[in-house]
Amino acid sequence: MKTDIKVVGTTFHPLPEGTLIAVEQEFVTDGVPCAYAQVILVPEPENQYDPEAVKVMVKLNNGAAHQIGHLPAKEPLKVQIAKRQQFLLATCLIKNYTVMGMNPSYHIVEIMGM
């Protein structure tokens, strides 16, 4: 399913020092360095602030998984994903990819299995 969901809360989940996101493709759009990466959308029913929270996890270049943020609270698809109680694979567009340690913009552009 094609979509465009901006990942929120990214400033609370900086990448560990010395790591980068394992990306599939790098490119430039309108002079802005971008990349695509696979992410996992994980329902988080134990979240103390939102039992329908869905966290966004990405694979780092060292093989570790790292949370980069959450789906927005008012995102309609968030509730559907949370109710599934299973993770979903998605594609994430990273804008300003070259500033990975400086809080780039993350957008979910496709969700598989929906």
Side-chain angles (χ1 to χ4, degrees), residues 40-51:
I40 298 175
L41 307 177
V42 182
E44 196 178 19
E46 70 282 356
N47 185 300
Q48 65 181 348
Y49 303 106
D50 180 3

Side-chain angles (χ1 to χ4, degrees), residues 26-93:
E26 296 178 40
F27 57 97
V28 176
T29 299
D30 297 327
V32 177
C34 299
Y36 284 119
Q38 292 296 310
V39 296
I40 298 175
L41 307 177
V42 182
E44 196 178 19
E46 70 282 356
N47 185 300
Q48 65 181 348
Y49 303 106
D50 180 3
E52 293 178 330
V54 176
K55 62 184 172 181
V56 181
M57 304 288 292
V58 69
K59 181 179 177 183
L60 300 177
N61 60 348
N62 64 6
H66 178 75
Q67 180 178 355
I68 57 171
H70 285 90
L71 295 186
K74 296 186 186 226
E75 171 56 47
L77 286 176
K78 178 190 86 143
V79 175
Q80 292 178 27
I81 294 167
K83 286 182 179 179
R84 287 175 166 240
Q85 290 299 305
Q86 62 186 24
F87 69 86
L88 287 171
L89 186 62
T91 301
C92 183
L93 168 64

